Amino acid sequence: GAISAAELGLPNRGPGSTNPKVLDLSQQGLDPLSGILIGALVAEHSSLTELTLHNNNNNLGADGARAIVDNVHVSMLRTLDLNAVIAPLAAGHPKTKRQLHQLEKLGTALGKLAALEKLTLDKNCLVEFSAAGRLYELRTLSLNNNRIEALPEDICFLKVLKRLAVRGNKLLELPAAIGQLECLESLDIKGNRLTFLPSSLGQLCFLKSLDISENLISQLDAGICDCSRLDRFEVKQNPLSRPPLSLAKQGIGPIRR
């Protein structure tokens, strides 16, 4: 049967009803049809600021997630968790045109969430996230454990972003524009395919934590020493020669010396 507002923790609309601000639909086994029904119910609740849809057995899918995202009040939503809502592909199977189109439409919907401050999209087999540069209010963006090969150049427009996590992807390089993320405090790019870091990282004057472990980096640009607030620097499992890995593993202090 149809999902009711009460089952979702949403009050029925009527005299004296209240608007919830937080809705947690994690681990509910939601599917695309559920997404359409939930979208219709969410549209009636204009004060929703936090929506969690993570760990729905990868059944919700891009279309189900979009049906919900399309109906939230874009000026209100601050936090959105879409961790593991899209099913992984079988090994060796590329995405079909239909799947790519579904992901593109989800990205377009996400790009309209103008007030969003925290977005989690871990474990969704994403190959890109081109909408990132339109989410100007983001403080936290988590794209861990996808299949992303490149970050968009317009990520530089996220002027208040403090935490960027892209671990466990297929990044080959970082855009030079990443140096324009002037409020960035934490950057996690562990477990990618990076062979170098852009010199622009040295412009991140508020960066406190940087994890570049498990990449293919052989040399560090001297600009990294300009990150004056950097106190957590993880470099293990890189073929570093300049500076030697044994020195780099001691942290940024010995490197600066």
Side-chain angles (χ1 to χ4, degrees):
I3 299 174
S4 69
E7 287 176 306
L8 297 178
L10 295 171
N12 289 307
R13 307 302 286 148
S17 65
T18 58
N19 265 332
K21 292 189 175 183
V22 178
L23 180 57
D24 185 349
L25 296 175
S26 56
Q27 303 181 51
Q28 298 294 314
L30 302 178
D31 59 21
L33 178 58
S34 304
I36 295 170
L37 297 171
I38 292 166
L41 292 169
V42 163
E44 298 178 4
H45 294 81
S46 58
S47 66
L48 197 64
T49 61
E50 182 175 334
L51 177 59
T52 300
L53 297 166
H54 72 73
N55 291 345
N56 271 291
N57 301 323
N58 300 111
N59 290 331
L60 184 60
D63 276 353
R66 179 177 59 85
I68 299 172
V69 170
D70 266 343
N71 283 286
V72 300
H73 290 253
V74 297
S75 63
M76 294 299 297
L77 196 68
R78 300 290 190 272
T79 300
L80 178 60
D81 187 341
L82 292 175
N83 176 16
V85 298
I86 299 172
L89 297 172
H93 287 256
K95 280 185 165 60
T96 64
K97 284 185 178 180
R98 179 172 176 271
Q99 288 169 321
L100 290 170
H101 185 54
Q102 289 172 334
L103 286 172
E104 184 179 343
K105 289 197 291 185
L106 175 58
T108 299
L110 290 170
K112 296 175 182 176
L113 301 179
L116 204 62
E117 296 179 0
K118 181 177 182 180
L119 176 60
T120 303
L121 284 168
D122 300 349
K123 300 179 183 176
N124 281 307
C125 298
L126 300 178
V127 294
E128 64 174 9
F129 184 52
S130 56
R134 300 195 292 276
L135 301 173
Y136 305 125
E137 297 299 322
L138 272 187
R139 271 69 167 171
T140 298
L141 176 59
S142 185
L143 299 166
N144 293 329
N145 301 308
N146 283 289
R147 299 180 181 180
I148 297 170
E149 295 183 3
L151 294 174
E153 286 285 342
D154 63 0
I155 199 168
C156 65
F157 295 133
L158 305 186
K159 296 300 185 183
V160 293
L161 190 69
K162 290 188 173 184
R163 180 177 180 270
L164 177 59
V166 206
R167 69 161 56 195
N169 278 277
K170 297 185 177 183
L171 292 178
L172 299 173
E173 61 179 333
L174 296 177
I178 202 164
Q180 297 176 44
L181 298 177
E182 52 198 45
C183 289
L184 198 67
E185 296 178 0
S186 174
L187 177 59
D188 185 350
I189 44 179
K190 176 181 178 178
N192 280 280
R193 300 176 179 179
L194 300 167
T195 56
F196 69 98
L197 298 176
S199 58
S200 60
L201 277 187
Q203 299 169 26
L204 299 176
C205 57
F206 288 102
L207 193 66
K208 298 175 182 176
S209 175
L210 175 60
D211 192 339
I212 64 170
S213 305
E214 299 174 26
N215 277 283
L216 303 170
I217 297 168
S218 59
Q219 297 184 31
L220 291 179
D221 189 278
I224 197 74
C225 295
D226 295 332
C227 298
S228 58
R229 288 178 171 83
L230 190 62
D231 58 15
R232 179 181 176 270
F233 185 40
E234 299 289 344
V235 297
K236 60 181 179 293
Q237 295 186 45
N238 276 287
L240 267 181
S241 57
R242 285 179 50 196
L245 183 59
S246 57
L247 177 67
K249 286 168 74 173
Q250 296 175 41
I252 195 68
I255 295 174
R256 288 194 182 109
R257 291 197 289 272

